[in-house]
Amino acid sequence: MTTPRLVAFDLDDTLAPSKSPLDPRMVDTLAALLAEVPVAVISGGQFQQFDEQLVRALRARDDVAVDDLHLLPTCGTRYYRWSGSDWSLLYAEDLTDDEKARALAAVETQAKAAGLWETETWGPILEDRGSQITFSALGQAAPVDRKKAWDPTGAKKDRLRAIVQSELPDLEVRSGGSTSVDITRKGIDKAYGMQKLSEHTGIALADMLFVGDRLDPDGNDYPVKALGVPCHAVRGWEDTDEFLRALIPTLRPERSAPLR
């Protein structure tokens, strides 16, 4: 691909461990990237999660301006930009009350039938995020090591995703983070978010680069790949950090110095 004019990322297991703040090394790397090109983050979590994991650390730095930071939580069903004093919501593709009720009932019923409804959890298993219903097998606040151990191959949630999708043909069901399944309106997924990103920035999809850990056909990053956006697959934030440290000096060679 040509040199990207914008780089977009998944969040959990791409920029940071699941539901955890960015490592200081990744904060440094992301700050260096933002100095060169606009950055977008499009992931399944709510805006509050983006703020806690990512935004606060960047805004705490004197050398980072967030004007070119694009935030698309809940799999691109919402889009936020910095207005100069606060984050402004550009759109929200909210589910109807009927869609929410059917999604919640379907995922609970099928998880219990499949033996995937756990009794030891950290926080709610089901969340109504307005534009997305999320099933988290161990709860949103589960320790990272417990999440990784629950479904190391992704087979459990991929199986649940397929069953729930058959129950909800009019909605979009995708495997999310390490233990989650996300449900949105049909066609409102990360590909939709990337198209909206292109509309608002004026940057063609072919001139963007997407980095994510779930680019497999069942993963919630896959719609971006299917859309034709240049993609790079990673396995954790360390992999992303290594890739970016090689990429950044190529963006503007006359200005970019090697990262330490």
Side-chain angles (χ1 to χ4, degrees), residues 67-78:
D67 303 73
D68 280 334
L69 181 61
H70 304 256
L71 303 179
L72 294 95
T74 50
C75 292
T77 61
R78 293 172 179 259

Side-chain angles (χ1 to χ4, degrees), residues 172-188:
E172 198 78 46
V173 185
R174 288 279 176 185
S175 292
S178 52
T179 64
S180 64
V181 170
D182 299 322
I183 304 170
T184 63
R185 289 176 54 200
K186 194 73 172 179
I188 310 298

Side-chain angles (χ1 to χ4, degrees), residues 8-12 15-16 19-22 30 39-59 69-80 87 129 132 140 182 190 210 220:
F9 300 89
D10 175 46
L11 179 52
D12 279 351
L15 290 177
K19 306 298 182 292
S20 303
L22 267 64
L30 209 55
V39 169
V41 181
I42 178 167
S43 194
Q46 300 186 78
F47 178 83
Q48 180 182 357
Q49 181 183 324
F50 278 48
D51 188 45
E52 293 173 354
Q53 290 184 255
L54 167 78
V55 176
R56 291 180 189 177
L58 288 173
R59 292 199 63 211
L69 181 61
H70 304 256
L71 303 179
L72 294 95
T74 50
C75 292
T77 61
R78 293 172 179 259
Y79 184 0
Y80 292 85
W87 293 98
R129 297 177 176 178
Q132 177 178 291
Q140 280 295 304
D182 299 322
K190 290 189 179 183
F210 179 82
N220 66 359

